[in-house]
Structure formats: C-alpha cells, structure tokens
C-alpha cells in the first residue's frame, strides 16, 4: 500500500531533525526561565534562534506515567513527526530488550503461533495512513469536568503505520468457529497486582478487517517504544483505546475482555445523557468509531497576527467514512466559509484544509472550524457530556490577536 | 549528567520530606509540651499577636494540610507523580470517588488519612480552582525511567541465583516474591526501571520515600546480582485476575 503523499511524509519526518537545532536555543531559554533543569551536556548549537520559531515542545500532562500532548505546529503536516507525536501511557512502557520479543497467537485457534520479530517481518507488509487519537482527547474542554487526564486539543496524530495485517496472522493460526473477540495482552505491568491490567479486546470482524494491523513501523521508522514498539495494534477509524501497545499475546476468545479497561473504562453512553448522569452498565458501549472532528493547526492558540491576508490551516478526520467538508468562521462573525480540502478522502486518514482569511480589524478574534463527514455527521459546537470525557469533538477554537 | 540530575531530584525530595517531617514532629512535640493553649510560632515580620482561637485554628489547619500532603506524597507517589492529581479539577464527591478507586487498586492510605487527603485535594484542586499552565518539554529532554534504557548494562557478571536468594530475603516482603508488587512496594518485573541500572543502584542504595536505604544491607555486587535476577524474570507472570469493577 503506497503512501498518499511521500514528499509530505519525508518533510514531516525530517522536520524535527532540522527544526530541532533551530528551536533548541528557545527551548533552553524557556527551560532556564521556568527554573527547570536541562541536560548540561546538550548545549544549544544556535543560541540566536529566531524569535518566531514555533514552539514545538510537547505539553506535559504527567511525567510518570508519561503522558504528553502535541502542539499545533507539530500537527500542521500530513504526517506527525514521531518525536512530536502524543504519548499516552497507563502503566508506562515495559522493559524492552531483556530477551527477544515474541508475539503469541492463541486462544480459540487451530494452530497456536509464537512469532519473533523476524517472523513478523517476513509476512507480506502493509502500510496504512491513519489517525491515532486518544479517546479522552479534549476531556479538559468538557464542563462540568470529570476525572482523568486533562487533554485539550493535541492527543491526536497521523502516521503511516507499517506492519502485518492482523487478518493474516489470524488466518495462519486458524480461528475456531466459536471465536468472536480478539484480546491483546500487552507488555506494560501495573504497579501493583490490584491495579487492573490494560487488556482490551476488539470484535473478531474488526480484527479481520483489511486495514487492521499489527504495526511494527511508524512513518518509516521502527515503531518507537513510546508508541508501542516493537508491536502495536492499529485500528484505523477507532479510538486509541483499541490500539493496544507492546503486544505480547493475541488471544482469540468467545467473549470480550473481562478486565476493567474493557468492562468499565472506555465506555460511553449508548444515547446522550444530561451532564452528571451515569447510565447503568448495560447502557454503556465501548469507544470504537471516532466522531467527525477538525483541528486548526495554524495559527496556534494565542497567536499575534498582522491585519493582512492569512492562511488558516488545519486537519480533519472522522471514524467511519471520510471528511467531505470543513468550514471556518470566527466567533465574532459566525458566517461559515468552506475551506479547501487537500489529500485524498480515505477512511482512517486525515485531510488537511486551508482557507485564506483577512482579519477585518485589529482586536481579538477566535477562529473556529467544523467538519462534515461522508455520513453527513457535522461537528457540533459542544458534544454530549459523558462521565469519562470521551470523544470531545466540539468546534475547534483558536483565539488570536490582530494588530 | 542524568545521574547527578536524579541525585539532585532525590536530594530535593528527601529534603522536602525531611523538612516536612521535622516540621510536623516539632509541631506535635510543641503541642505535647506546651499544651493546647500555646501560641503559634509568630511570623517574624508581623507583630506577635496574642494567642487566640483563630491562630490556633490556623495552626491546626496548617498542620492538617501538612499531614495530608505528606500522606499523599508517601502513599500515592509510589505509582504516579503529583501532576496526576495536581492537574485535575474536581468536586469533593469526585475526589472522594477517585480516592476510593485508587484504594481499590492497591493504594495504601491509612483510614485516618483518607478524610484529610480528600479535603486537601478538594481544597487545592477543586472544580473552581484555576488550572496552571502545563509544563512543556521536547521528547529528547524527558529524563524518566518511563522510557526504557539499556536492558543489559551492568549485569554481565551478575550471579542470578545468588541475586534470587538475596531478593527473597531483602526485597520480596515489599515487592512480592515474583516482583509483581504488593501494597507496600511497586512491581519491578519487566518494568522499565530495570533498564536503568544507575538509577536502580542509586535508589536501592539510598532509598526513596517509603523505601529504606539498603546501603547497610547490600553491597554493590549484591545489588547487581539482584538486578540480574530481576532482569531474568519471565514475561509470563501468573495471569492477572479478571476483576471488573463498577
């Protein structure tokens, strides 16, 4: 499967390496100013960093476990650079490399498999461009608030995921007729045996879908450990809760995973409920398909712009189907204008958009964007509240100052 | 550089912990000696007020806060850092529910500390409190054991069998016989900390929070043997129990 836009991919990959030198000085200055301690061995190579260099440093939600959010400049390309891709950890990355990594395929199969990384690499390769978004991206924007990491806009990214189709592995192992779900036992270890393991499952049909992968590569590099390397699940169109990292065992079963993160966590009300209402368990369903959403990637939040023609840029994606329209307006003048869509419409992938905008006057403006998908779903101004804060897809809003 | 940074961080933590401990102890001591009518220590710049019920209430409140914070530090930071709660803004009912959940997941919070901790969280991280701007960092600068390091460094000569025996005597009572953690100490088996030999040695030698310093119990070679044994533990721990909770 070829990449959609190879040149963009290269630019995206090489972006951080070249930009890094440029903004190191700024990073250094910022860290010193903030009273943080940096690595003294790593002195800035160019102290005279241009003041306008975008700050691509990640937003720290927590350091232990490591949860980092991407910023607008990092998301302002077709592929998100690996080093700037958001990081979501429940129990933290496992020790990698204590012994060779193997992936077992077992449970309700005719021929259980134990595959080393070389074995996995020997299968036909597949590559899929897909959006990975944390189910809780935007949780920090819901009111009333709820427990959980306060992700705002950047727990999302887009990468070319390379690996082997899960269907290929399941076919080789021979799935028994009574099978209905596929569980992923991962390498991350809960800090105590009382804390629930992150063991989730997806329905067998979805595991067998053409675009569902066991990924070993991300944007042409070996899958980084922080993103689930050596091997993670990729389920294009579905929330990150289904993209299990550090996969050690693929267990075919008749029932879905009985563990906390499947039975209680990552569930949303089947039908919207008023804020504060917690429906009974039978009215809660797992977070699977994402909903339609757009993100303004330029200008960034709080930008200062001249009263001159500007190019508003962003990305938009959905779960099932693809994005067909993105509209942009300002809160001050809510007349929607349709943006130009780039990139091919493709389920699971995102499309960039751009729109020429000349600020009408000096002052404070808040740009807003909303996307529409091929099912006719339109990004709402505010999505239905749910007790765990999943699937926020309200209008994306970016305040800027025009002078 | 990383080592000295971590040393610095540990030293700072230790200093804060010690300071807090002494503060609390000296306050408790003072109360016992001077009795309930004693005045609070006067602020140096302010004119010393006469002892009053208000001062005493303030003093009590301050101490309750200090103790609650200490309970949070000692019991919650075993598994995660402070930002896990400091970045959230919740109602008292939500905080209570979070504390209950954490206790059900193995957090050891003495019953007497539960209410003060819930009050502390509700007061400082309440639904109406402003949210501070989060920190910013480039991935390459994240200094953390959360990112696995070198899985082989420093254990080439380890005597794994000896390490296993020592582990059972010295470490198993808190970290569990198979190193999957207990209520007293976190899991070690197959966790990223095992791939940071320097950090491991430092922490075992000097201790951290509730973990005592082992420098009088283990020498460097013995620590190395234990690390070798921990690194050799299989991936296949006993299957975790399926305990869905609502």
């Amino acid at each position: 499967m070829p990449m959609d836009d190879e040149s963009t991919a290269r630019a995206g990959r090489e972006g951080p390496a070249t930009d890094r030198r440029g903004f190191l000085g700024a990073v250094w200055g910022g860290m010193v100013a903030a009273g943080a301690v940096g690595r003294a061995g790593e002195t800035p190579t160019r102290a005279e960093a241009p003041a306008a260099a975008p700050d691509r440093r990640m937003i720290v939600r927590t350091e232990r476990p490591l949860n980092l959010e991407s910023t607008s400049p990092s998301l302002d390309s077709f592929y998100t650079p690996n080093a700037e891709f958001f990081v979501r950890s429940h129990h933290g990355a496992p020790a990698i490399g204590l012994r060779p990594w193997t992936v077992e395929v077992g449970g309700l199969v005719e021929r259980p498999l134990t595959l080393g990384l070389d074995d996995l690499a020997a299968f036909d390769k597949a590559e899929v461009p897909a959006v990975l978004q944390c189910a809780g991206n935007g949780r920090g924007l819901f009111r009333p608030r709820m427990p959980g990491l306060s992700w705002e806009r950047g727990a999302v990214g887009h990468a070319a995921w390379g690996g082997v189709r899960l269907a290929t592995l399941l076919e080789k192992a021979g799935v028994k007729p009574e099978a209905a779900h596929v569980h992923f036992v991962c390498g991350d270890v809960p800090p105590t045996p009382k804390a629930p393991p992150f063991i989730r499952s997806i329905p067998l049909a979805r595991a067998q879908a053409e675009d569902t992968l066991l990924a070993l590569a991300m944007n042409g590099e070996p899958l980084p450990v922080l993103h689930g390397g050596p091997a993670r699940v990729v389920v294009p169109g579905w929330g990150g809760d289904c993209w299990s990292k550090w996969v050690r065992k693929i267990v075919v079963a008749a029932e879905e995973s009985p563990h906390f993160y499947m039975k209680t966590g990552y569930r949303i009300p089947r039908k919207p409920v008023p804020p504060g209402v917690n429906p009974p368990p039978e009215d809660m369903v797992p977070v699977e398909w994402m909903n339609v959403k757009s993100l303004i990637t330029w200008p960034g939040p709080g930008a200062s712009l001249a009263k001159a023609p500007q190019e508003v840029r962003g990305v938009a994606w959905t779960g099932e189907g693809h994005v067909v329209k993105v509209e942009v307006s300002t809160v001050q003048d809510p007349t929607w204008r349709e943006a130009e869509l780039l990139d091919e419409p493709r389920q699971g992938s995102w499309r960039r958009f751009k729109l020429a905008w000349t600020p009408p006057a000096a002052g404070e403006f808040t740009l807003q964007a909303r996307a529409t998908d091929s099912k006719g779903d339109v990004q709402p101004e505010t999505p239905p509240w749910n007790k765990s804060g999943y699937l926020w897809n309200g209008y994306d809003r970016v305040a800027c100052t025009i002078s | 550089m990383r080592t000295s940074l971590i040393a610095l961080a540990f030293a700072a933590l230790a200093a804060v912990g010690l300071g807090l401990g002494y503060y609390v102890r000296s306050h408790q001591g003072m109360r016992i000696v001077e009795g309930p009518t004693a005045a609070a220590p006067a602020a140096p710049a302010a004119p010393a007020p006469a002892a009053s019920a208000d001062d005493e209430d303030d003093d009590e409140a301050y101490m309750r806060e200090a103790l609650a914070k200490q309970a949070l530090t000692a019991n919650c930071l075993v598994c995660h850092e402070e930002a896990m709660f400091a970045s959230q803004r919740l109602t008292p009912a939500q905080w209570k529910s979070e504390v209950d959940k954490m206790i059900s997941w193995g957090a050891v919070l003495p019953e007497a500390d539960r209410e003060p901790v819930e009050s502390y969280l509700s007061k400082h991280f309440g639904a109406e409190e402003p949210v501070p701007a989060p920190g910013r960092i480039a991935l390459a600068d994240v200094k953390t054991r959360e990112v696995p390091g070198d899985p082989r460094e420093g254990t080439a000569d380890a005597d794994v069998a000896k390490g296993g025996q020592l582990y059972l005597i010295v470490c198993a009572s808190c970290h569990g016989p198979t190193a999957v953690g207990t209520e007293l100490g976190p899991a070690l088996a197959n966790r990223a900390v095992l791939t940071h030999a320097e950090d491991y040695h430092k922490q075992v030698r000097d201790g951290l929070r509730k973990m005592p310093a082992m420098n009088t119990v283990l020498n460097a070679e013995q620590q190395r043997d234990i690390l070798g044994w921990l690194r050799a533990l299989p991936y296949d721990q006993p299957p975790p129990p399926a305990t869905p909770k609502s």
Side-chain angles (χ1 to χ4, degrees):
Chain A
M1 210 173 287
M3 286 213 222
D4 288 333
D5 189 340
E6 192 65 22
S7 59
T8 318
R10 294 281 166 248
R13 278 172 213 166
E14 284 163 19
T18 45
D19 283 345
R20 215 182 123 65
R21 278 194 300 277
F23 73 75
L24 250 178
V27 169
W28 188 257
M31 287 179 76
V32 171
V37 208
R39 212 168 21 163
E42 195 177 319
T43 44
T45 48
R46 240 204 284 163
E48 71 286 13
D55 185 351
R56 306 173 74 104
R57 289 175 304 162
M58 306 195 72
I59 298 162
V60 181
R61 293 299 170 199
T62 60
E63 280 198 36
R64 186 172 63 100
L66 192 59
N67 287 293
L68 305 173
E69 182 171 331
S70 301
T71 58
S72 298
S74 297
L75 300 169
D76 191 24
S77 56
F78 187 63
Y79 287 124
T80 311
N82 289 357
E84 297 170 9
F85 209 99
F86 84 96
V87 174
R88 170 71 179 112
S89 308
H90 282 87
H91 301 312
I96 303 282
L98 295 180
R99 61 193 64 77
W101 194 270
T102 56
V103 175
E104 293 174 28
V105 184
L108 295 175
V109 296
E110 306 290 348
R111 300 169 293 278
L113 310 173
T114 300
L115 304 163
L117 294 178
D118 289 345
D119 302 322
L120 288 168
F123 285 98
D124 285 344
K125 288 180 181 58
E127 190 172 67
V128 175
V131 173
L132 170 56
Q133 180 181 218
C134 177
N137 190 26
R139 178 181 292 122
L141 305 174
F142 277 105
R143 296 292 181 278
R145 294 176 181 278
M146 62 282 289
L149 293 167
S150 299
W151 301 111
E152 290 181 354
R153 304 168 67 236
V156 64
H158 186 236
W161 306 95
V164 52
R165 288 194 177 83
L166 213 45
T168 307
L169 301 181
L170 294 171
E171 196 183 325
K172 190 174 166 69
V175 173
K176 291 185 176 174
E178 62 270 38
H181 296 269
V182 178
H183 301 212
F184 302 104
V185 180
C186 306
D188 48 345
V189 183
T192 87
K194 278 194 177 178
F198 192 83
I199 301 179
R200 300 192 82 261
S201 60
I202 59 175
L204 178 64
R206 185 65 226 241
Q208 291 171 323
E210 171 81 356
D211 59 350
T212 303
L213 305 183
L214 185 67
L216 310 166
M218 180 179 181
N219 288 333
E221 294 170 4
L223 185 60
V225 169
L226 286 179
H227 299 297
R232 84 171 306 163
V233 183
V234 165
V235 193
W238 283 24
D241 50 311
C242 303
W243 296 43
S244 297
K245 303 201 269 190
W246 309 300
V247 172
R248 286 214 162 110
K249 288 182 187 172
I250 298 168
V251 183
V252 181
E255 304 291 337
E256 67 177 19
S257 165
H259 295 279
F260 172 85
Y261 286 110
M262 191 74 207
K263 287 292 186 198
T264 303
Y266 294 111
R267 290 204 170 229
I268 45 169
R270 198 185 302 273
K271 289 184 190 138
V273 296
V277 171
N278 299 338
E282 62 272 20
D283 291 340
M284 303 289 283
V285 293
V287 175
E288 293 179 343
W289 290 109
M290 295 186 287
N291 45 17
V292 64
K293 187 166 178 178
S294 60
L295 190 68
I296 296 168
T297 55
W298 198 93
S304 291
L305 306 174
K307 188 178 161 297
Q310 306 286 346
E311 185 183 66
V312 178
R313 295 191 300 270
V315 292
W317 67 94
T318 188
E320 197 171 4
H322 57 266
V323 166
V324 297
K325 184 164 75 173
V326 174
E327 298 161 290
V328 177
S329 69
T330 60
V331 169
Q332 290 72 21
D333 174 13
T335 311
W336 294 104
R337 292 171 59 210
E338 199 168 331
E340 180 188 345
L341 279 173
L342 313 175
D343 312 310
E344 68 173 274
R346 175 177 187 151
Q347 182 165 300
S349 184
W350 74 21
R351 302 182 77 182
R352 289 169 295 169
F353 65 85
K354 60 180 184 180
L355 180 78
W357 175 60
T358 305
E364 306 292 322
F365 288 89
T366 299
L367 287 158
Q368 53 186 5
R370 70 175 185 195
T372 303
D373 70 15
S374 51
K375 301 193 304 296
D377 287 349
V378 182
Q379 192 173 349
E381 182 169 8
T382 307
W385 185 94
N386 61 92
K387 77 179 173 78
S388 304
Y390 297 134
L391 294 176
W392 168 272
N393 72 334
Y395 293 173
D396 191 46
R397 288 188 167 135
V398 169
C400 48
T401 305
I402 311 299
S403 54
Chain B
M1 190 57 213
R2 178 194 288 169
T3 322
S4 52
L5 268 184
I6 285 160
L8 197 69
F10 280 9
L13 263 176
V16 169
L18 276 174
L20 195 64
Y22 280 125
Y23 174 83
V24 167
R25 249 170 269 153
S26 61
H27 266 60
Q28 284 170 328
M30 189 169 68
R31 286 188 175 278
I32 292 159
V33 173
E34 298 177 19
T37 52
S52 74
D54 276 359
D55 292 331
E56 203 171 290
D57 287 349
D58 287 352
D59 196 29
E60 284 276 6
Y62 194 83
M63 197 171 113
R64 243 194 338 264
E65 289 252 308
L67 285 169
K69 190 167 186 191
Q70 192 185 40
L72 263 170
T73 307
N75 299 306
C76 306
L77 303 193
V78 176
C79 297
H80 57 74
E81 52 139 340
E82 198 181 57
M84 188 63 85
F85 48 81
S87 65
Q88 301 197 41
R89 293 293 177 275
L90 303 174
T91 63
Q94 287 174 314
W95 275 125
K96 184 176 185 318
S97 161
E98 285 301 287
V99 169
D100 288 347
K101 181 174 87 174
M102 288 298 120
I103 288 172
S104 78
W105 287 8
V108 184
L109 192 62
E111 195 52 40
D113 285 330
R114 190 192 283 228
E115 193 281 323
V117 159
E118 288 165 3
S119 301
Y120 181 91
L121 292 169
S122 303
K123 176 181 168 192
H124 293 274
F125 313 116
E128 303 307 320
E129 294 297 313
V131 183
R136 299 286 296 274
I137 197 162
L139 190 63
D141 297 323
V142 177
K143 289 301 149 231
T144 170
R145 286 173 294 187
E146 295 293 297
V147 184
D150 186 341
R152 273 177 279 275
E153 186 193 1
T155 45
D157 302 324
D159 184 330
V160 172
K162 236 186 232 172
Q165 289 163 357
L166 284 165
Y167 177 88
L168 285 179
I169 297 164
V170 181
C171 321
S173 53
C174 291
H175 295 284
T178 55
V180 295
T182 75
E183 287 162 356
L184 297 173
L188 301 170
N190 293 305
R191 300 195 95 208
V193 62
L194 299 186
T195 60
H196 294 281
E198 267 187 57
D199 294 356
Y200 158 86
H201 279 291
K202 166 132 194 67
Q203 184 163 329
V204 175
R205 195 170 58 235
D206 301 346
L208 177 64
R209 288 187 292 269
K210 283 204 272 190
M211 175 164 167
M214 294 295 172
N215 58 348
T216 56
V217 182
L218 298 167
N219 64 32
E221 274 180 23
Q222 290 171 317
Q223 287 192 188
R224 175 205 64 194
D225 291 346
I226 291 173
L227 181 59
W229 180 81
L230 285 167
R231 284 178 172 177
L233 284 172
Y235 291 143
D236 275 324
Q237 297 293 333
T243 48
K245 294 198 176 75
S246 52

